[in-house]
Amino acid sequence: MMTNLKMKKRERRHARIRARISGTKERPRLSVFKSNTRLIAQLIDDETGKTLLSVSSADSKRKTPRGRVEEIGEKLAGEAKKKKITRVVFDRGGFLYTGNIKVFAESVRAGGIAF
């Protein structure tokens, strides 16, 4: 029962965030989803409803969860630069800005993407 309440709270937080932010082709939305085993991030153009880029920690070769998250942050930043994307709007998906979400955001920033 507690898990269900936790998920509902996250969904409410996410709805509040999404009401305020939106991505464009020049400045797409960097959406993050965290499960028990993976972290998935997408660059989304909300005007056309298309995903421009997607990465998942399932593709990572590092051993620790933190290492996997850092690797996909660097990978996303590199691929975004190839597509000439330097600025994004960060959508943390209703998750708190701690732990893996924070590590991911910092690694994307270190890769040269501003938000």
PDB file of all heavy atoms in Angstrom, residues 33-67:
ATOM      1  N   PHE A  33      13.670   9.121 -16.293  1.00  0.00           N
ATOM      2  CA  PHE A  33      12.861   8.148 -15.570  1.00  0.00           C
ATOM      3  C   PHE A  33      13.798   7.182 -14.864  1.00  0.00           C
ATOM      4  O   PHE A  33      14.766   6.702 -15.455  1.00  0.00           O
ATOM      5  CB  PHE A  33      11.938   7.354 -16.497  1.00  0.00           C
ATOM      6  CG  PHE A  33      11.171   6.295 -15.762  1.00  0.00           C
ATOM      7  CD1 PHE A  33      10.101   6.628 -14.951  1.00  0.00           C
ATOM      8  CD2 PHE A  33      11.546   4.964 -15.846  1.00  0.00           C
ATOM      9  CE1 PHE A  33       9.409   5.661 -14.246  1.00  0.00           C
ATOM     10  CE2 PHE A  33      10.868   3.986 -15.149  1.00  0.00           C
ATOM     11  CZ  PHE A  33       9.787   4.336 -14.341  1.00  0.00           C
ATOM     12  N   LYS A  34      13.489   6.914 -13.599  1.00  0.00           N
ATOM     13  CA  LYS A  34      14.326   6.036 -12.791  1.00  0.00           C
ATOM     14  C   LYS A  34      13.479   4.865 -12.317  1.00  0.00           C
ATOM     15  O   LYS A  34      12.436   5.054 -11.715  1.00  0.00           O
ATOM     16  CB  LYS A  34      14.855   6.835 -11.596  1.00  0.00           C
ATOM     17  CG  LYS A  34      15.695   6.058 -10.638  1.00  0.00           C
ATOM     18  CD  LYS A  34      16.181   6.927  -9.500  1.00  0.00           C
ATOM     19  CE  LYS A  34      15.052   7.223  -8.555  1.00  0.00           C
ATOM     20  NZ  LYS A  34      15.470   7.754  -7.262  1.00  0.00           N
ATOM     21  N   SER A  35      13.940   3.646 -12.617  1.00  0.00           N
ATOM     22  CA  SER A  35      13.289   2.452 -12.085  1.00  0.00           C
ATOM     23  C   SER A  35      14.200   1.864 -11.019  1.00  0.00           C
ATOM     24  O   SER A  35      15.222   2.446 -10.680  1.00  0.00           O
ATOM     25  CB  SER A  35      13.029   1.433 -13.198  1.00  0.00           C
ATOM     26  OG  SER A  35      14.231   0.829 -13.609  1.00  0.00           O
ATOM     27  N   ASN A  36      13.858   0.701 -10.526  1.00  0.00           N
ATOM     28  CA  ASN A  36      14.699   0.065  -9.516  1.00  0.00           C
ATOM     29  C   ASN A  36      16.049  -0.364 -10.081  1.00  0.00           C
ATOM     30  O   ASN A  36      17.027  -0.454  -9.361  1.00  0.00           O
ATOM     31  CB  ASN A  36      14.002  -1.167  -8.937  1.00  0.00           C
ATOM     32  CG  ASN A  36      12.887  -0.790  -8.009  1.00  0.00           C
ATOM     33  OD1 ASN A  36      12.836   0.328  -7.524  1.00  0.00           O
ATOM     34  ND2 ASN A  36      11.980  -1.713  -7.771  1.00  0.00           N
ATOM     35  N   THR A  37      16.089  -0.644 -11.378  1.00  0.00           N
ATOM     36  CA  THR A  37      17.315  -1.176 -11.964  1.00  0.00           C
ATOM     37  C   THR A  37      17.963  -0.260 -12.990  1.00  0.00           C
ATOM     38  O   THR A  37      19.140  -0.428 -13.285  1.00  0.00           O
ATOM     39  CB  THR A  37      17.028  -2.522 -12.657  1.00  0.00           C
ATOM     40  OG1 THR A  37      16.016  -2.325 -13.643  1.00  0.00           O
ATOM     41  CG2 THR A  37      16.574  -3.551 -11.644  1.00  0.00           C
ATOM     42  N   ARG A  38      17.239   0.691 -13.561  1.00  0.00           N
ATOM     43  CA  ARG A  38      17.758   1.489 -14.669  1.00  0.00           C
ATOM     44  C   ARG A  38      17.400   2.951 -14.542  1.00  0.00           C
ATOM     45  O   ARG A  38      16.469   3.319 -13.848  1.00  0.00           O
ATOM     46  CB  ARG A  38      17.182   0.981 -15.988  1.00  0.00           C
ATOM     47  CG  ARG A  38      17.574  -0.424 -16.264  1.00  0.00           C
ATOM     48  CD  ARG A  38      17.343  -0.782 -17.689  1.00  0.00           C
ATOM     49  NE  ARG A  38      17.943  -2.081 -17.909  1.00  0.00           N
ATOM     50  CZ  ARG A  38      17.262  -3.154 -18.251  1.00  0.00           C
ATOM     51  NH1 ARG A  38      15.979  -3.082 -18.440  1.00  0.00           N
ATOM     52  NH2 ARG A  38      17.899  -4.288 -18.424  1.00  0.00           N
ATOM     53  N   LEU A  39      18.133   3.756 -15.301  1.00  0.00           N
ATOM     54  CA  LEU A  39      17.800   5.158 -15.487  1.00  0.00           C
ATOM     55  C   LEU A  39      17.709   5.384 -16.983  1.00  0.00           C
ATOM     56  O   LEU A  39      18.606   4.981 -17.726  1.00  0.00           O
ATOM     57  CB  LEU A  39      18.875   6.057 -14.879  1.00  0.00           C
ATOM     58  CG  LEU A  39      18.484   7.521 -14.868  1.00  0.00           C
ATOM     59  CD1 LEU A  39      18.381   8.015 -13.437  1.00  0.00           C
ATOM     60  CD2 LEU A  39      19.463   8.352 -15.628  1.00  0.00           C
ATOM     61  N   ILE A  40      16.621   5.983 -17.422  1.00  0.00           N
ATOM     62  CA  ILE A  40      16.378   6.222 -18.840  1.00  0.00           C
ATOM     63  C   ILE A  40      16.194   7.720 -19.040  1.00  0.00           C
ATOM     64  O   ILE A  40      15.473   8.361 -18.273  1.00  0.00           O
ATOM     65  CB  ILE A  40      15.120   5.472 -19.321  1.00  0.00           C
ATOM     66  CG1 ILE A  40      15.288   3.987 -19.054  1.00  0.00           C
ATOM     67  CG2 ILE A  40      14.847   5.745 -20.788  1.00  0.00           C
ATOM     68  CD1 ILE A  40      14.008   3.207 -19.093  1.00  0.00           C
ATOM     69  N   ALA A  41      16.862   8.281 -20.040  1.00  0.00           N
ATOM     70  CA  ALA A  41      16.755   9.705 -20.323  1.00  0.00           C
ATOM     71  C   ALA A  41      16.450   9.908 -21.800  1.00  0.00           C
ATOM     72  O   ALA A  41      16.944   9.164 -22.652  1.00  0.00           O
ATOM     73  CB  ALA A  41      18.043  10.412 -19.956  1.00  0.00           C
ATOM     74  N   GLN A  42      15.621  10.916 -22.077  1.00  0.00           N
ATOM     75  CA  GLN A  42      15.237  11.228 -23.457  1.00  0.00           C
ATOM     76  C   GLN A  42      15.282  12.726 -23.673  1.00  0.00           C
ATOM     77  O   GLN A  42      14.952  13.498 -22.774  1.00  0.00           O
ATOM     78  CB  GLN A  42      13.811  10.771 -23.742  1.00  0.00           C
ATOM     79  CG  GLN A  42      13.549   9.331 -23.578  1.00  0.00           C
ATOM     80  CD  GLN A  42      12.070   9.004 -23.808  1.00  0.00           C
ATOM     81  OE1 GLN A  42      11.259   9.876 -24.062  1.00  0.00           O
ATOM     82  NE2 GLN A  42      11.740   7.738 -23.709  1.00  0.00           N
ATOM     83  N   LEU A  43      15.669  13.131 -24.873  1.00  0.00           N
ATOM     84  CA  LEU A  43      15.526  14.512 -25.301  1.00  0.00           C
ATOM     85  C   LEU A  43      14.282  14.567 -26.167  1.00  0.00           C
ATOM     86  O   LEU A  43      14.203  13.887 -27.192  1.00  0.00           O
ATOM     87  CB  LEU A  43      16.749  14.980 -26.085  1.00  0.00           C
ATOM     88  CG  LEU A  43      18.004  15.232 -25.279  1.00  0.00           C
ATOM     89  CD1 LEU A  43      19.150  15.636 -26.194  1.00  0.00           C
ATOM     90  CD2 LEU A  43      17.778  16.300 -24.234  1.00  0.00           C
ATOM     91  N   ILE A  44      13.298  15.384 -25.772  1.00  0.00           N
ATOM     92  CA  ILE A  44      11.990  15.388 -26.411  1.00  0.00           C
ATOM     93  C   ILE A  44      11.653  16.782 -26.921  1.00  0.00           C
ATOM     94  O   ILE A  44      11.791  17.772 -26.197  1.00  0.00           O
ATOM     95  CB  ILE A  44      10.904  14.925 -25.422  1.00  0.00           C
ATOM     96  CG1 ILE A  44      11.244  13.542 -24.884  1.00  0.00           C
ATOM     97  CG2 ILE A  44       9.528  14.934 -26.080  1.00  0.00           C
ATOM     98  CD1 ILE A  44      10.395  13.100 -23.725  1.00  0.00           C
ATOM     99  N   ASP A  45      11.189  16.852 -28.166  1.00  0.00           N
ATOM    100  CA  ASP A  45      10.640  18.079 -28.743  1.00  0.00           C
ATOM    101  C   ASP A  45       9.128  18.004 -28.561  1.00  0.00           C
ATOM    102  O   ASP A  45       8.450  17.249 -29.253  1.00  0.00           O
ATOM    103  CB  ASP A  45      11.013  18.179 -30.218  1.00  0.00           C
ATOM    104  CG  ASP A  45      10.400  19.378 -30.910  1.00  0.00           C
ATOM    105  OD1 ASP A  45       9.777  20.216 -30.222  1.00  0.00           O
ATOM    106  OD2 ASP A  45      10.530  19.469 -32.143  1.00  0.00           O
ATOM    107  N   ASP A  46       8.576  18.761 -27.606  1.00  0.00           N
ATOM    108  CA  ASP A  46       7.149  18.682 -27.297  1.00  0.00           C
ATOM    109  C   ASP A  46       6.272  19.345 -28.350  1.00  0.00           C
ATOM    110  O   ASP A  46       5.083  19.054 -28.434  1.00  0.00           O
ATOM    111  CB  ASP A  46       6.870  19.310 -25.927  1.00  0.00           C
ATOM    112  CG  ASP A  46       7.388  18.447 -24.802  1.00  0.00           C
ATOM    113  OD1 ASP A  46       7.180  17.224 -24.864  1.00  0.00           O
ATOM    114  OD2 ASP A  46       8.011  18.979 -23.875  1.00  0.00           O
ATOM    115  N   GLU A  47       6.826  20.230 -29.172  1.00  0.00           N
ATOM    116  CA  GLU A  47       6.030  20.880 -30.214  1.00  0.00           C
ATOM    117  C   GLU A  47       5.586  19.869 -31.274  1.00  0.00           C
ATOM    118  O   GLU A  47       4.462  19.914 -31.751  1.00  0.00           O
ATOM    119  CB  GLU A  47       6.818  22.012 -30.862  1.00  0.00           C
ATOM    120  CG  GLU A  47       7.059  23.176 -29.914  1.00  0.00           C
ATOM    121  CD  GLU A  47       7.942  24.241 -30.519  1.00  0.00           C
ATOM    122  OE1 GLU A  47       8.682  23.950 -31.491  1.00  0.00           O
ATOM    123  OE2 GLU A  47       7.893  25.374 -30.006  1.00  0.00           O
ATOM    124  N   THR A  48       6.499  18.958 -31.633  1.00  0.00           N
ATOM    125  CA  THR A  48       6.163  17.942 -32.634  1.00  0.00           C
ATOM    126  C   THR A  48       5.848  16.594 -32.007  1.00  0.00           C
ATOM    127  O   THR A  48       5.365  15.697 -32.675  1.00  0.00           O
ATOM    128  CB  THR A  48       7.324  17.761 -33.631  1.00  0.00           C
ATOM    129  OG1 THR A  48       8.489  17.356 -32.924  1.00  0.00           O
ATOM    130  CG2 THR A  48       7.586  19.032 -34.403  1.00  0.00           C
ATOM    131  N   GLY A  49       6.151  16.444 -30.711  1.00  0.00           N
ATOM    132  CA  GLY A  49       5.896  15.188 -30.019  1.00  0.00           C
ATOM    133  C   GLY A  49       6.870  14.089 -30.385  1.00  0.00           C
ATOM    134  O   GLY A  49       6.542  12.910 -30.332  1.00  0.00           O
ATOM    135  N   LYS A  50       8.106  14.463 -30.739  1.00  0.00           N
ATOM    136  CA  LYS A  50       9.101  13.475 -31.165  1.00  0.00           C
ATOM    137  C   LYS A  50      10.261  13.396 -30.175  1.00  0.00           C
ATOM    138  O   LYS A  50      10.689  14.391 -29.615  1.00  0.00           O
ATOM    139  CB  LYS A  50       9.649  13.849 -32.534  1.00  0.00           C
ATOM    140  CG  LYS A  50       8.575  13.889 -33.580  1.00  0.00           C
ATOM    141  CD  LYS A  50       9.090  13.506 -34.903  1.00  0.00           C
ATOM    142  CE  LYS A  50       7.904  13.552 -35.841  1.00  0.00           C
ATOM    143  NZ  LYS A  50       8.007  12.840 -36.992  1.00  0.00           N
ATOM    144  N   THR A  51      10.771  12.189 -30.016  1.00  0.00           N
ATOM    145  CA  THR A  51      11.966  11.961 -29.213  1.00  0.00           C
ATOM    146  C   THR A  51      13.176  12.143 -30.112  1.00  0.00           C
ATOM    147  O   THR A  51      13.312  11.462 -31.129  1.00  0.00           O
ATOM    148  CB  THR A  51      11.951  10.547 -28.614  1.00  0.00           C
ATOM    149  OG1 THR A  51      10.797  10.418 -27.788  1.00  0.00           O
ATOM    150  CG2 THR A  51      13.192  10.290 -27.799  1.00  0.00           C
ATOM    151  N   LEU A  52      14.058  13.057 -29.740  1.00  0.00           N
ATOM    152  CA  LEU A  52      15.239  13.346 -30.545  1.00  0.00           C
ATOM    153  C   LEU A  52      16.397  12.407 -30.229  1.00  0.00           C
ATOM    154  O   LEU A  52      17.191  12.078 -31.107  1.00  0.00           O
ATOM    155  CB  LEU A  52      15.684  14.792 -30.313  1.00  0.00           C
ATOM    156  CG  LEU A  52      14.613  15.871 -30.521  1.00  0.00           C
ATOM    157  CD1 LEU A  52      15.145  17.221 -30.108  1.00  0.00           C
ATOM    158  CD2 LEU A  52      14.152  15.877 -31.961  1.00  0.00           C
ATOM    159  N   LEU A  53      16.466  11.971 -28.963  1.00  0.00           N
ATOM    160  CA  LEU A  53      17.595  11.163 -28.514  1.00  0.00           C
ATOM    161  C   LEU A  53      17.186  10.407 -27.262  1.00  0.00           C
ATOM    162  O   LEU A  53      16.425  10.922 -26.453  1.00  0.00           O
ATOM    163  CB  LEU A  53      18.765  12.105 -28.209  1.00  0.00           C
ATOM    164  CG  LEU A  53      20.088  11.554 -27.790  1.00  0.00           C
ATOM    165  CD1 LEU A  53      20.685  10.706 -28.895  1.00  0.00           C
ATOM    166  CD2 LEU A  53      21.029  12.691 -27.462  1.00  0.00           C
ATOM    167  N   SER A  54      17.677   9.190 -27.117  1.00  0.00           N
ATOM    168  CA  SER A  54      17.339   8.389 -25.947  1.00  0.00           C
ATOM    169  C   SER A  54      18.556   7.579 -25.513  1.00  0.00           C
ATOM    170  O   SER A  54      19.283   7.046 -26.358  1.00  0.00           O
ATOM    171  CB  SER A  54      16.181   7.449 -26.281  1.00  0.00           C
ATOM    172  OG  SER A  54      15.912   6.600 -25.209  1.00  0.00           O
ATOM    173  N   VAL A  55      18.772   7.507 -24.187  1.00  0.00           N
ATOM    174  CA  VAL A  55      19.844   6.676 -23.629  1.00  0.00           C
ATOM    175  C   VAL A  55      19.318   5.936 -22.412  1.00  0.00           C
ATOM    176  O   VAL A  55      18.379   6.384 -21.766  1.00  0.00           O
ATOM    177  CB  VAL A  55      21.094   7.499 -23.235  1.00  0.00           C
ATOM    178  CG1 VAL A  55      21.771   8.078 -24.439  1.00  0.00           C
ATOM    179  CG2 VAL A  55      20.753   8.568 -22.229  1.00  0.00           C
ATOM    180  N   SER A  56      19.925   4.786 -22.132  1.00  0.00           N
ATOM    181  CA  SER A  56      19.510   3.982 -20.992  1.00  0.00           C
ATOM    182  C   SER A  56      20.738   3.413 -20.312  1.00  0.00           C
ATOM    183  O   SER A  56      21.742   3.104 -20.957  1.00  0.00           O
ATOM    184  CB  SER A  56      18.617   2.829 -21.459  1.00  0.00           C
ATOM    185  OG  SER A  56      18.384   1.926 -20.417  1.00  0.00           O
ATOM    186  N   SER A  57      20.655   3.258 -18.994  1.00  0.00           N
ATOM    187  CA  SER A  57      21.785   2.689 -18.260  1.00  0.00           C
ATOM    188  C   SER A  57      21.930   1.197 -18.528  1.00  0.00           C
ATOM    189  O   SER A  57      22.928   0.598 -18.148  1.00  0.00           O
ATOM    190  CB  SER A  57      21.639   2.948 -16.761  1.00  0.00           C
ATOM    191  OG  SER A  57      20.481   2.332 -16.267  1.00  0.00           O
ATOM    192  N   ALA A  58      20.966   0.579 -19.201  1.00  0.00           N
ATOM    193  CA  ALA A  58      21.082  -0.828 -19.566  1.00  0.00           C
ATOM    194  C   ALA A  58      22.197  -1.027 -20.593  1.00  0.00           C
ATOM    195  O   ALA A  58      22.772  -2.114 -20.693  1.00  0.00           O
ATOM    196  CB  ALA A  58      19.764  -1.337 -20.139  1.00  0.00           C
ATOM    197  N   ASP A  59      22.520   0.034 -21.354  1.00  0.00           N
ATOM    198  CA  ASP A  59      23.565  -0.041 -22.376  1.00  0.00           C
ATOM    199  C   ASP A  59      24.970   0.156 -21.798  1.00  0.00           C
ATOM    200  O   ASP A  59      25.952  -0.040 -22.491  1.00  0.00           O
ATOM    201  CB  ASP A  59      23.337   1.032 -23.443  1.00  0.00           C
ATOM    202  CG  ASP A  59      21.957   0.921 -24.060  1.00  0.00           C
ATOM    203  OD1 ASP A  59      21.410  -0.196 -24.080  1.00  0.00           O
ATOM    204  OD2 ASP A  59      21.432   1.955 -24.508  1.00  0.00           O
ATOM    205  N   SER A  60      25.068   0.549 -20.544  1.00  0.00           N
ATOM    206  CA  SER A  60      26.345   0.874 -19.927  1.00  0.00           C
ATOM    207  C   SER A  60      27.132  -0.378 -19.550  1.00  0.00           C
ATOM    208  O   SER A  60      26.568  -1.414 -19.225  1.00  0.00           O
ATOM    209  CB  SER A  60      26.110   1.726 -18.682  1.00  0.00           C
ATOM    210  OG  SER A  60      27.321   2.009 -18.052  1.00  0.00           O
ATOM    211  N   LYS A  61      28.444  -0.253 -19.557  1.00  0.00           N
ATOM    212  CA  LYS A  61      29.324  -1.371 -19.219  1.00  0.00           C
ATOM    213  C   LYS A  61      29.938  -1.244 -17.827  1.00  0.00           C
ATOM    214  O   LYS A  61      30.620  -2.131 -17.367  1.00  0.00           O
ATOM    215  CB  LYS A  61      30.463  -1.462 -20.247  1.00  0.00           C
ATOM    216  CG  LYS A  61      29.984  -1.645 -21.659  1.00  0.00           C
ATOM    217  CD  LYS A  61      29.307  -2.971 -21.841  1.00  0.00           C
ATOM    218  CE  LYS A  61      28.892  -3.144 -23.290  1.00  0.00           C
ATOM    219  NZ  LYS A  61      27.722  -3.952 -23.449  1.00  0.00           N
ATOM    220  N   ARG A  62      29.715  -0.115 -17.157  1.00  0.00           N
ATOM    221  CA  ARG A  62      30.313   0.068 -15.831  1.00  0.00           C
ATOM    222  C   ARG A  62      29.613  -0.804 -14.796  1.00  0.00           C
ATOM    223  O   ARG A  62      28.478  -1.211 -14.972  1.00  0.00           O
ATOM    224  CB  ARG A  62      30.263   1.536 -15.434  1.00  0.00           C
ATOM    225  CG  ARG A  62      31.139   2.386 -16.332  1.00  0.00           C
ATOM    226  CD  ARG A  62      31.350   3.745 -15.766  1.00  0.00           C
ATOM    227  NE  ARG A  62      32.043   4.595 -16.736  1.00  0.00           N
ATOM    228  CZ  ARG A  62      32.146   5.891 -16.612  1.00  0.00           C
ATOM    229  NH1 ARG A  62      31.634   6.510 -15.579  1.00  0.00           N
ATOM    230  NH2 ARG A  62      32.773   6.585 -17.527  1.00  0.00           N
ATOM    231  N   LYS A  63      30.291  -1.026 -13.674  1.00  0.00           N
ATOM    232  CA  LYS A  63      29.794  -1.997 -12.697  1.00  0.00           C
ATOM    233  C   LYS A  63      28.856  -1.395 -11.655  1.00  0.00           C
ATOM    234  O   LYS A  63      27.911  -2.049 -11.241  1.00  0.00           O
ATOM    235  CB  LYS A  63      30.966  -2.665 -11.995  1.00  0.00           C
ATOM    236  CG  LYS A  63      31.755  -3.530 -12.950  1.00  0.00           C
ATOM    237  CD  LYS A  63      32.776  -4.356 -12.242  1.00  0.00           C
ATOM    238  CE  LYS A  63      33.517  -5.194 -13.275  1.00  0.00           C
ATOM    239  NZ  LYS A  63      34.131  -6.345 -12.746  1.00  0.00           N
ATOM    240  N   THR A  64      29.096  -0.160 -11.218  1.00  0.00           N
ATOM    241  CA  THR A  64      28.268   0.407 -10.155  1.00  0.00           C
ATOM    242  C   THR A  64      27.114   1.220 -10.743  1.00  0.00           C
ATOM    243  O   THR A  64      27.234   1.749 -11.856  1.00  0.00           O
ATOM    244  CB  THR A  64      29.100   1.322  -9.237  1.00  0.00           C
ATOM    245  OG1 THR A  64      29.561   2.440  -9.993  1.00  0.00           O
ATOM    246  CG2 THR A  64      30.264   0.573  -8.635  1.00  0.00           C
ATOM    247  N   PRO A  65      26.005   1.347 -10.024  1.00  0.00           N
ATOM    248  CA  PRO A  65      24.900   2.169 -10.510  1.00  0.00           C
ATOM    249  C   PRO A  65      25.319   3.614 -10.776  1.00  0.00           C
ATOM    250  O   PRO A  65      24.926   4.204 -11.784  1.00  0.00           O
ATOM    251  CB  PRO A  65      23.868   2.094  -9.387  1.00  0.00           C
ATOM    252  CG  PRO A  65      24.162   0.817  -8.691  1.00  0.00           C
ATOM    253  CD  PRO A  65      25.650   0.635  -8.785  1.00  0.00           C
ATOM    254  N   ARG A  66      26.132   4.173  -9.894  1.00  0.00           N
ATOM    255  CA  ARG A  66      26.595   5.548 -10.090  1.00  0.00           C
ATOM    256  C   ARG A  66      27.452   5.665 -11.355  1.00  0.00           C
ATOM    257  O   ARG A  66      27.315   6.612 -12.126  1.00  0.00           O
ATOM    258  CB  ARG A  66      27.386   6.007  -8.869  1.00  0.00           C
ATOM    259  CG  ARG A  66      27.884   7.418  -8.989  1.00  0.00           C
ATOM    260  CD  ARG A  66      28.747   7.813  -7.802  1.00  0.00           C
ATOM    261  NE  ARG A  66      29.284   9.123  -8.023  1.00  0.00           N
ATOM    262  CZ  ARG A  66      28.990  10.176  -7.280  1.00  0.00           C
ATOM    263  NH1 ARG A  66      28.181  10.054  -6.266  1.00  0.00           N
ATOM    264  NH2 ARG A  66      29.523  11.346  -7.544  1.00  0.00           N
ATOM    265  N   GLY A  67      28.313   4.693 -11.590  1.00  0.00           N
ATOM    266  CA  GLY A  67      29.148   4.689 -12.783  1.00  0.00           C
ATOM    267  C   GLY A  67      28.316   4.596 -14.060  1.00  0.00           C
ATOM    268  O   GLY A  67      28.607   5.267 -15.049  1.00  0.00           O
TER     269      GLY A  67
END
